[in-house]
Amino acid sequence: MLTASLAMAQDAKTLTGTISDAMCGKTHMMQGASAAKCTRECVKAGAEYALVVGDKVYTLMGDKAAIDKFAGASVVVKGRLSGSTVTVESIKAAQ
């Protein structure tokens, strides 16, 4: 029964958005820096990677090196959604 509940709580989703960090979200705070640089600096400081989709910010869990390649870029993320956290199964540049 618990396994069934967990499976239902984590829905497979495909989301298109921009890679950021959970601290800055949609608006980067590092003046004069690119979105990619600000994202990477905030992650170094302890923030998690995030995906910004419209006004929604999803925390990304998974291979940080793979996510880092897309810092500041538009991407398509496939993964398991649980609340506002996405466990990344795949990530690629948005067309």
Side-chain angles (χ1 to χ4, degrees):
M1 179 104 167
L2 181 60
T3 304
S5 297
L6 281 174
M8 291 174 68
Q10 295 185 346
D11 297 328
K13 295 284 183 188
T14 300
L15 300 167
T16 302
T18 304
I19 297 295
S20 182
D21 61 273
M23 186 171 16
C24 290
K26 189 174 179 179
T27 306
H28 291 284
M29 296 182 253
M30 190 180 286
Q31 301 232 339
S34 68
K37 180 172 175 55
C38 184
T39 297
R40 288 181 176 118
E41 291 299 319
C42 288
V43 168
K44 282 182 191 174
E48 295 291 340
Y49 283 105
L51 181 69
V52 178
V53 180
D55 290 330
K56 183 77 175 151
V57 178
Y58 297 94
T59 301
L60 297 177
M61 303 307 285
D63 183 350
K64 291 185 185 290
I67 298 168
D68 182 73
K69 294 176 186 176
F70 297 100
S74 295
V75 296
V76 176
V77 172
K78 291 183 183 180
R80 298 274 170 197
L81 180 62
S82 179
S84 62
T85 300
V86 177
T87 301
V88 178
E89 294 173 353
S90 70
I91 184 170
K92 66 179 184 177
Q95 297 287 325

